[in-house]
Every structure is written in C-alpha cells, then in structure tokens.
Amino acid sequence: MEKEYFVQYSDQSIINSFSFPKDVFASISIGMTDITNDLIISLVQKMFGLPVFFVLNSMIFGYEKETLISNNIPFFEFSSDGAVIKVDSTEKLHLISKLAEELVSNGLSVFIFHGNDLSEQDLIPPKHWMDKPLVFENLDVNKLETFVDIEEVGFTIFTKSSLFDSPEKIPNYIPNDYLLNIDSSDI
C-alpha cells in the first residue's frame, strides 16, 4: 500500500517560526506520517547531493553519540546532547539518516542544511528551540541554499533553489512509494 503525502505553501506561522529572510527563501511544507531513513536518504540525494549538515537537537537515548564515535564519524557537540554532523559520504548518510529517523519518530526535530562554505559552528541552534523565531546566530544566510526541518508529521523546506521552490516541483523529489494527495495540496 502506498503512503500518502501532501504539499503546500507553508502557513505564515511556520514561516515566522524561523528567522530567514521571507523575501529570499520560499517555504514549502510536506505532510506525511511515515518519515523513514530511506525517505531522508532519497531527499538528500535527489535534492542536494553531498555534503549536507544534520543538526540533532538532542541525542536522547544515549546510543546516538556512541554510534557516531564507534563509526568514526566526527561531530560538533554544541550541548550536552546536541550535535552538528557534516555528512559527506553515502555511508555517513545512511547511518545519520537512521539516527534522524529514530529521533523524528520520537517527536524531535532534525534539521538538514545545504549551502556553500557552511561549517558546523555556523549551524549551532539557540539553547531553547522552543523560542520563536528560531535564530541561528552564527549562520550567514547568504551561504545557505536550503534548510529542511524534519518532524514526525512531515517536513518544511526553506529554499533559494528554483529547483524545488514551489509545491508543483516537490513531487519530483519524493520516492515513488509515496502517493501525492492532490486534493490536499497546493497544486
């Protein structure tokens, strides 16, 4: 059975929850209930390529940090349990996507950043992710092309890229085992 998703321009409350220039970044929301590591891998490979940066606000189970260390994956630790990870190989992408899927399925957000000359220190989130709008104080938005906020119920894309800056373009990047619900989409 195919899984459904919908694609819409983001609601103003979502747009306002992040401190990105609204006249520069398009904001598209994709709703779905089955965020898998295969979906994350497919999105990264189809939309961006490597490298990308994953920001894990919390590694709540403890084994995430151990998994990174045991697999020799360098990461920038910005809090007692938060990490920024540069993913520059398919092996890392598979491992980090699996960790991201587990965190998202447990109600946490995971961020993916793609751009030019980004570094781990650029992507340190504020101490309190609940404060809105969320501001990445070290981030030069001129370096950022796309930011993805992945949550349990879908994901939001903030992008400058003309390749996926409207709901009509997003289905090209979603795996074929997901079925577009046209009635609920801005298409």
Side-chain angles (χ1 to χ4, degrees):
M1 180 173 146
E2 291 187 343
K3 302 164 272 197
E4 283 193 358
Y5 71 99
F6 64 88
V7 182
Q8 300 174 339
Y9 285 105
S10 295
D11 182 85
Q12 195 63 42
S13 65
I14 293 172
I15 295 169
N16 291 340
S17 66
F18 294 94
S19 181
F20 294 125
K22 283 128 184 82
D23 57 336
V24 176
F25 289 86
S27 180
I28 312 298
S29 293
I30 298 89
M32 60 179 55
T33 56
D34 195 13
I35 304 289
T36 64
N37 66 315
D38 291 339
L39 172 67
I40 297 169
I41 291 166
S42 178
L43 289 174
V44 168
Q45 290 176 330
K46 287 181 175 182
M47 293 177 102
F48 317 121
L50 300 175
V52 295
F53 291 85
F54 279 72
V55 178
L56 311 179
N57 178 39
S58 178
M59 297 185 283
I60 59 173
F61 304 113
Y63 69 84
E64 298 95 345
K65 186 174 181 178
E66 293 171 17
T67 300
L68 295 172
I69 292 168
S70 67
N71 285 282
N72 297 317
I73 295 179
F75 60 96
F76 181 81
E77 201 167 2
F78 61 81
S79 67
S80 62
D81 64 349
V84 180
I85 305 151
K86 182 177 184 178
V87 176
D88 54 5
S89 72
T90 54
E91 295 80 23
K92 281 185 195 176
L93 178 60
H94 284 266
L95 184 72
I96 302 306
S97 294
K98 205 170 274 195
L99 292 176
E101 173 197 359
E102 291 175 25
L103 292 170
V104 166
S105 67
N106 281 286
L108 298 172
S109 288
V110 171
F111 298 150
I112 301 174
F113 289 87
H114 182 257
N116 296 315
D117 300 319
L118 295 174
S119 73
E120 288 88 344
Q121 292 81 4
D122 295 337
L123 309 175
I124 299 170
K127 291 181 183 178
H128 303 287
W129 279 32
M130 301 311 283
D131 294 345
K132 301 297 181 193
L134 193 60
V135 177
F136 290 85
E137 293 180 8
N138 300 331
L139 177 62
D140 177 354
V141 294
N142 295 316
K143 294 180 178 181
L144 181 65
E145 180 185 285
T146 303
F147 164 80
V148 180
D149 175 16
I150 304 175
E151 297 180 341
E152 192 173 15
V153 294
F155 55 99
T156 302
I157 301 169
F158 292 85
T159 189
K160 293 183 207 175
S161 175
S162 62
L163 296 174
F164 34 86
D165 62 354
S166 72
E168 295 85 7
K169 298 175 183 177
I170 298 299
N172 297 325
Y173 301 96
I174 305 293
N176 292 334
D177 56 338
Y178 288 86
L179 179 64
L180 176 63
N181 180 333
I182 293 177
D183 296 333
S184 297
S185 296
D186 290 340
I187 295 181

